[in-house]
Amino acid sequence: MMGVGTYGYTAPATSKSGGAAAGYDVPEGVEIRGRFDEEFAKILTKEALEFVVELQREFRNRIKYALECRKEAKSRYNEGAVPGFDPATKFIRETNWVCAPVPPAVADRRVEITGPVERKMIINALNSGAKVFMADFEDALSPTWENLMRGQVNLKDAVDGSITFHDKARNRVYKLNDKNTAKLFVRPRGWHLPEAHILIDGEPATGCLVDFGLYFFHNYAAFRQTQGAGFGPFFYLPKMENSREAKIWNCVFERAEKKAGIERGSIRATVLIETLPAVFQMDEILHELRDHSVGLNCGRWDYIFSYVKTFQGHPDRLLPDRFLVGMTQHFMRNYSDLLIRTCHRRGVHAMGGMAAQIPIRDDPAANEAALDLVRKDKLREVKAGHDGTWAAHPGLIPACMEVFTNNMGSNTPNQIQSMRREDASSITEEDLLERPRGVRTLEGLRLNTRVGIRYLAAWLTGTGSVPLYNLMEDAATAEISRVQNWQWIKYGVELDGDGLGVRVGNELFGRVVEEEMQRIEREVGKEKFKKGMYKEACKLFTMQCTAQTLDDFLTLDAYNHIVMHHPRGSSRL
Ligand SMILES: CC(=O)SCCNC(=O)CCNC(=O)[C@H](O)C(C)(C)COP(=O)(O)OP(=O)(O)OC[C@H]1O[C@@H](n2cnc3c(N)ncnc32)[C@H](O)[C@@H]1OP(=O)(O)O
Ligand SMILES: O=CC(=O)O
Ligand SMILES: [Mg+2]
């Protein structure tokens, strides 16, 4: 058992010697470089940190190897290769096997709301009427020390039911409904992100092991009682590229279950298929996680980002304007269809993705048009066979729920048995790789630039999801803006959609940046512009768009700007 004081091994007597921060009681080899806070100390207990350390020590070499393999695959793609199905794992794709049965608590996932692990939003999301709430340490969160630690505090309070929030300005108190709250899934960061405020044996911890480890340690027992009906906790796993990465997660889960003394297969996870290489590994990923799986999800925004990233060395596969790359493009439709077929064949949920539209409060006609786009997207998903979908905002839940309920057949919590999609077995590698069609415009370049800079400015000040031009923007959507600009500049593409016949290059991009910064200043106002991080964001974004080689992630370089180390021995501010 763990989390209740009887956990595993005894820390060495010198346990304080490893930590620089006097306020946190840390195990040997651990140094906390983030601000001390009494609330955070309830999360960063010695026992919880010991669990994270165990995970880090056991899995760090495998994680490093998996990230090296990503680099090796990237070199191959840069030299002209394209991703495809792996002949070595044909038997996994072609034999009949199924994942462990879906836990009854999450059989019905028609609508899932997502959002950062922010206190008020957690309460609103759990009360929203959605079946599931995915609490996000990833695309929707800027991983500052404060956000991460407060997020852990918030989730602990949410799981034990005590979470409240007092909005002083509106004198409104938020608390959880007595019943019918959404089931909680937690999305840790991707494998690539370090946690620079926690050093283990002198190296930054792996971000996702910190997110997973702390959350699991503090919440597994209460969660299984109150939410999971004997199962759980539940997770979403982002940005994987290969089943070897899923295998690591499976081992992490087994390790956690063993330590906690809970049944193997208690923890369940839905993997986001949101990289191009991963679409060729869906069976393999489910197979690795077959005792811990509860489906796959179409992470459409990162998937588009990954298409550009994977084909960064392929000038014959450039993207059209961002808004033209939707789910009806051939490669996107086939990705969603194959995901449905794969999941249903293996007995688990095939989750749809996020429509970017959000409610538009001050314009009823525009609001109705946005809702209509969401409804159409959800209708396409449910008819294709998805078992549920994502909503970015509580205001979208009734519309999404109605579409799924009306089109899924009555008395059935999902379509796992009824929508086998055998027709999708004929989907080929070419179908999954087909270049998206459409034109490129100067307005497309401008919009990417404006959105990229505005998003990054928010991220640098601690906000990871923002409404911009009536759409939800997060790290995944911002990545599309960045890599698309990079691609267009790198290959000097012709803007063929507005009759200008101009080619994109550094000079044109420089002018666009200057003009869009002026526009941003007008839009947000001089004062906010001056106080905000727009200039820093502009510098970072411009550097990344014009770099000779494409950075793997926007947030890796940007992360250096939000790390706030607290000096050795003086962790109390
Ligand atoms: C590509 C991907 O990975 S998608 C998944 C990751 N992205 C996300 O999760 C984005 C989630 N959505 C959001 O963060 C927000 O909806 C935004 C930033 C897009 C818009 O936020 P806002 O402009 O603040 O929304 P708005 O002002 O309309 O909010 C109205 C109310 O709804 C709440 N709300 C809005 N979105 C959410 C949400 N996702 N979860 C819970 N509550 C929410 C607000 O807290 C607010 O509550 P209040 O009335 O009690 O004060
Ligand atoms: O995480 C979801 C995505 O679309 O990216
Ligand atoms: Mg994503």
Side-chain angles (χ1 to χ4, degrees), residues 182-250:
K183 294 282 184 294
L184 184 64
F185 278 57
V186 170
R187 177 163 72 170
R189 285 169 277 180
W191 286 122
H192 60 287
L193 284 171
E195 178 43 62
H197 301 92
I198 301 183
L199 304 184
I200 299 179
D201 303 330
E203 275 182 29
T206 305
C208 60
L209 293 184
V210 172
D211 302 338
F212 168 82
L214 295 176
Y215 172 72
F216 180 84
F217 183 88
H218 289 292
N219 299 293
Y220 79 89
F223 184 92
R224 289 157 56 75
Q225 257 185 7
T226 58
Q227 290 239 341
F231 283 90
F234 303 134
F235 295 91
Y236 255 105
L237 302 177
K239 293 190 177 49
M240 288 198 261
E241 296 192 4
N242 187 283
S243 61
R244 77 173 67 81
E245 301 173 27
K247 186 172 183 157
I248 305 177
W249 270 119
N250 195 60

Side-chain angles (χ1 to χ4, degrees), residues 102-109 131-132 183 185 227-231 234:
V102 167
V106 284
D108 184 347
R109 302 172 65 183
K131 300 288 178 189
V132 164
K183 294 282 184 294
F185 278 57
Q227 290 239 341
F231 283 90
F234 303 134

